[in-house]
Amino acid sequence: MTERERRPVVGITTQTLEAIPDQLPRCWVMSQRYVQVLVAAEAIPWVIPLLEHDEATLRGIYERTDALFLPGGVDIDPASYGEARRPACGRSDPARDWTELLLTRWALADGKPVLAVCRGAQILNVAVGGTLYQDVAVERPDALKHDQFPIGGRRRDELSHDVRIAAGSRLGRLLDAAVLPVNSMHHQGIARLAPGLTPVAVAADGLIEGVELVPSDDRFVLGVQWHPEDLVDVDPRMRRLFDAFIAAARAVRR
Ligand code: MN
């Protein structure tokens, strides 16, 4: 196996960091945690700039990658799924929405593996025709508290609620579990699931927290609403999501 086959190139999208006057020009940034966990799984990480409307350059990057990783981040502009912005919808990043929706559609069309976390799972759903809750607490007042953000000393690896894992799903096979405790750092969520996606993890309030392609489709496409990259030390099974993603990228590369 060549080095390229052993360690596939994984594209990781970024987020716009607005300029801080007299300190910092406008930047593209991403949490180190995703990169570190993917490198531990033997990926070569390729952090992708948000060159909005420069489709040719983005395509050039895409063609050099073997798989796509979609990280967490700010809210998705509701215009992406044909809705008007409501007051509870937070800040969005148009360059990031544009870049990720395009990369996701390309990867799905080509059968490149996709692993998507939190906002990433929402992008995946929107990219293929689904919609989101702009704010779960406002639109689903009966829901669990999902916005357990790590403030006031709380930790990113704090387990907030369980999800039920669908038997026979890729996620179920990977984790070998029917119920999984997860962290929960999101205030948006999947509302209408896109056709072509199937729910594979669901919270007790019915919120969809894990998606895959329909069972007849064996391309590696997995989105989870929790943050497995923050849980690999407290629950080593979470590493299997990254390992399986890289194994799929390796297989596609060959
Ligand atoms: Mn949650």
Side-chain angles (χ1 to χ4, degrees):
M1 204 189 295
T2 67
E3 180 69 6
R4 178 76 190 274
E5 285 168 342
R6 194 174 70 79
R7 298 189 62 185
V9 178
V10 174
I12 304 165
T13 49
T14 51
Q15 183 162 302
T16 304
L17 175 63
E18 294 299 339
I20 304 171
D22 302 325
Q23 287 183 39
L24 201 67
R26 208 160 180 247
C27 297
W28 292 303
V29 297
M30 189 39 62
S31 160
Q32 296 180 9
R33 186 75 180 173
Y34 301 112
V35 175
Q36 289 159 345
V37 170
L38 287 164
V39 167
E42 300 213 304
I44 298 291
W46 187 326
V47 177
I48 299 176
L50 307 176
L51 297 164
E52 194 178 10
H53 306 313
D54 182 356
E55 193 170 322
T57 304
L58 186 64
R59 185 73 196 183
I61 294 170
Y62 167 79
E63 286 175 355
R64 288 163 174 80
T65 60
D66 302 312
L68 175 64
F69 181 81
L70 298 170
V74 294
D75 288 357
I76 297 164
D77 187 339
S80 307
Y81 46 92
E83 288 186 10
R85 174 179 286 270
R86 289 190 285 275
C89 187
R91 182 169 63 90
S92 55
D93 183 343
R96 184 169 179 188
D97 290 351
W98 180 85
T99 303
E100 290 183 334
L101 289 168
L102 199 51
L103 287 169
T104 302
R105 289 170 182 147
W106 285 341
L108 290 171
D110 294 343
K112 281 192 188 182
V114 178
L115 179 59
V117 163
C118 198
R119 169 197 158 95
Q122 298 166 8
I123 281 282
L124 176 60
N125 183 49
V126 170
V128 288
T131 66
L132 304 180
Y133 294 119
Q134 294 185 30
D135 184 88
V136 172
V138 167
E139 292 168 47
R140 285 280 311 275
D142 58 317
L144 299 168
K145 184 170 168 52
H146 289 275
D147 52 344
Q148 306 273 13
F149 294 106
I151 49 172
R154 295 241 309 277
R155 297 161 52 96
R156 294 183 65 86
D157 61 1
E158 188 175 306
L159 298 170
S160 296
H161 63 76
D162 288 342
V163 289
R164 260 183 306 107
I165 309 286
S169 63
R170 182 191 298 275
L171 186 66
R173 291 195 303 275
L174 283 175
L175 295 170
D176 193 24
V179 175
L180 184 74
V182 296
N183 50 4
S184 190
M185 296 179 275
H186 59 107
H187 86 107
Q188 299 205 309
I190 291 172
R192 190 184 72 233
L193 188 64
L197 294 179
T198 192
V200 295
V202 181
D205 55 14
L207 196 70
I208 295 171
E209 294 241 352
V211 296
E212 296 177 6
L213 298 178
V214 291
S216 57
D217 194 325
D218 66 356
R219 289 176 290 170
F220 187 105
V221 174
L222 175 62
V224 295
Q225 186 59 70
W226 65 93
H227 279 271
E229 79 285 357
D230 288 318
L231 295 176
V232 292
D233 295 327
V234 296
D235 185 347
R237 290 177 299 178
M238 295 294 180
R239 288 189 194 281
R240 298 178 196 167
L241 275 52
F242 298 94
D243 290 341
F245 172 54
I246 300 308
R250 221 177 259 137
V252 166
R253 181 74 213 148
R254 276 202 296 277

